[in-house]
Amino acid sequence: MKKKSFFMLIAVFAIALLVWVGCTTSQATDAAKVSVEEITTRWEGSGHADITSEAFTHWNEDDPAEIPATCAKCHSTSGFRDFVGADGSAAGSVEMAGLINDPVSCTACHNTPAHELDSVTFPSGAEITGTGSASVCMVCHGGMGSSKNVVNATDGKPEDEPIGDQAIVGNHYFAAAAVRAGSDGGNGYQYEGKTYVGTFTHAPGVETCTTCHDPHTLHNRKPENADTNLCQTCHSNVTGWQEYKTVTMSKVDYDGDGTVESMYDEIEGMKAILHEAMSQYSAKVGDGTMFGFNGDSYPYSFIDTNKDGQISEDEASFPNQYKLFTPRLLKAAYNYMFTVKEPGAYIHNGKYVLQLMYDSIEDLSAISGVTTDSLTRP
């Protein structure tokens, strides 16, 4: 299907849906305030509409060319409709493979079963109820993996002995809802005997996915009858997305570098320390092969062949994948991935990811030599 024809079809769907849903949801109420053309334009510029994205084309060369049911829920409109039961199937599962080149369009979210969603079950098994219009966002942005996967891979095995042919375990990508839910979602690897913060609520009026994000552009909303950034309401220096990372949300030097920084920078500092702890730990267990990480190259964990703490382009190759994880290292690496693959973690629940990383560093410290002495746990 040509892209132009695809968007014309979507526009027709949008017109029909707006007439149908009217004022049944807050999203529809917002949509009614602007023209169908404006809504379509907003959607066309979003990541959900990017028909050329890897998120929607990854399976194009497969035989058959379809999206496996495991992935279809979040990577195709047909799969999400299947999951909520809008196609007449049972709700809560995906029975059929999804269509390729089928990005998240109007009919994924604008249907009766999707409107009626009011709870979300995370991969950890934890359920959060009363999620309202944010439910459709949280279903896919809750990730795919959880600490359960880590436990299954490590349970009963000696903490500091390589498991054997064990790849890194991750929560998947852009799991904003899983990070925001904190301990209520239970998707981070939470160490026994530690307490963790729950759902991050930010501030009155900006407490859910759809009160912060325009559901069509996915960008932050603008205050009604204003042309400013929503964040600027409280954070005067924030005039656009470029300044999000500069907001200082605490008066604590979590990463121990002697400077109180923005939550983004505190997280970046803690990430660097955790990476160093994992590298030093890995060099002192097993055969001394050093772990390295490159978040831009799948499968992300690689052997740091020259032990310089960096993964070069040559080292970031699939045959050089690091698969010598011990249980202790796998737990820490999972929390590292949990943070790295949610680039908005500093906004969605910075304290939760800082707690996970602090505890990971602490758990590795006896062997890595990298301690938490200068760090502060939220």
Side-chain angles (χ1 to χ4, degrees):
M1 184 184 293
K2 294 184 178 180
K3 190 171 183 179
K4 183 177 179 181
S5 300
F6 175 79
F7 286 137
M8 289 179 65
L9 179 60
I10 291 301
V12 172
F13 271 125
I15 294 170
L17 285 163
L18 285 172
V19 173
W20 176 48
V21 301
C23 297
T24 58
T25 68
S26 60
Q27 290 183 11
T29 300
D30 290 342
K33 295 178 182 178
V34 295
S35 67
V36 172
E37 290 78 9
E38 173 61 20
I39 291 171
T40 304
T41 299
R42 291 180 181 181
W43 173 82
E44 286 178 354
S46 75
H48 281 174
D50 186 359
I51 199 169
T52 65
S53 168
E54 175 74 8
F56 305 118
T57 63
H58 180 79
W59 303 268
N60 285 15
E61 303 304 319
D62 288 359
D63 185 16
E66 61 186 22
I67 303 177
T70 305
C71 309
K73 177 180 72 174
C74 301
H75 292 276
S76 68
T77 288
S78 59
F80 191 83
R81 287 176 58 81
D82 186 336
F83 177 77
V84 297
D87 64 348
S89 65
S93 61
V94 178
E95 280 73 36
M96 300 289 290
L99 301 175
I100 60 170
N101 304 321
D102 184 27
V104 183
S105 58
C106 308
T107 58
C109 304
H110 291 291
N111 60 73
T112 298
H115 291 160
E116 293 176 349
L117 276 180
D118 196 36
S119 67
V120 175
T121 300
F122 288 95
S124 65
E127 181 183 18
I128 296 180
T129 60
T131 47
S133 63
S135 303
V136 292
C137 312
M138 296 172 69
V139 164
C140 285
H141 289 282
M144 286 186 67
S146 77
S147 56
K148 279 187 173 181
N149 302 96
V150 179
V151 171
N152 290 340
T154 62
D155 194 35
K157 297 178 174 63
E159 282 287 274
D160 300 307
E161 294 182 14
I163 298 168
D165 198 34
Q166 174 63 55
I168 196 169
V169 175
N171 181 240
H172 210 45
Y173 313 120
F174 298 103
V179 169
R180 179 176 174 268
S183 63
D184 296 331
N187 274 26
Y189 183 83
Q190 299 175 179
Y191 290 87
E192 188 175 352
K194 300 286 189 175
T195 59
Y196 296 88
V197 296
T199 302
F200 179 59
T201 55
H202 205 85
V206 283
E207 299 165 322
T208 68
C209 308
T210 52
T211 53
C212 288
H213 295 275
D214 181 302
H216 299 112
T217 66
L218 310 182
H219 298 158
N220 271 20
R221 288 183 179 274
K222 293 181 179 180
E224 193 170 351
N225 300 319
D227 195 35
T228 58
N229 185 281
L230 179 64
C231 299
Q232 194 175 15
T233 306
C234 295
H235 305 288
S236 59
N237 65 309
V238 176
T239 59
W241 63 267
Q242 297 92 336
E243 285 88 31
Y244 294 167
K245 295 177 181 179
T246 68
V247 176
T248 300
M249 300 176 66
S250 72
K251 297 181 179 179
V252 180
D253 176 19
Y254 294 113
D255 64 2
D257 65 356
T259 305
V260 175
E261 303 160 300
S262 67
M263 182 59 79
Y264 173 84
D265 287 326
E266 294 291 345
I267 289 174
E268 288 300 297
M270 192 77 79
K271 278 164 55 177
I273 296 168
L274 176 53
H275 187 281
E276 175 67 10
M278 292 188 293
S279 295
Q280 294 304 317
Y281 170 89
S282 62
K284 296 174 182 177
V285 296
D287 64 1
T289 300
M290 184 176 279
F291 163 88
F293 186 89
N294 185 322
D296 295 326
S297 299
Y298 183 83
Y300 312 120
S301 64
F302 302 97
I303 297 172
D304 187 354
T305 54
N306 60 6
K307 298 188 177 183
D308 66 349
Q310 304 291 328
I311 295 298
S312 66
E313 186 176 343
D314 290 339
E315 291 172 321
S317 64
F318 195 89
N320 193 46
Q321 180 181 6
Y322 184 93
K323 299 183 73 175
L324 298 170
F325 287 97
T326 68
R328 197 184 304 277
L329 182 58
L330 189 66
K331 295 168 187 176
Y334 174 84
N335 283 340
Y336 186 80
M337 275 274 283
F338 185 73
T339 305
V340 169
K341 289 302 179 181
E342 208 302 82
Y346 67 101
I347 290 177
H348 295 133
N349 202 337
K351 289 186 177 181
Y352 183 59
V353 296
L354 282 169
Q355 288 175 337
L356 294 174
M357 290 192 290
Y358 179 101
D359 293 344
S360 299
I361 295 166
E362 184 178 62
D363 192 50
L364 295 167
S365 62
I367 293 177
S368 72
V370 179
T371 72
T372 57
D373 292 348
S374 64
L375 309 181
T376 300
R377 188 182 193 273

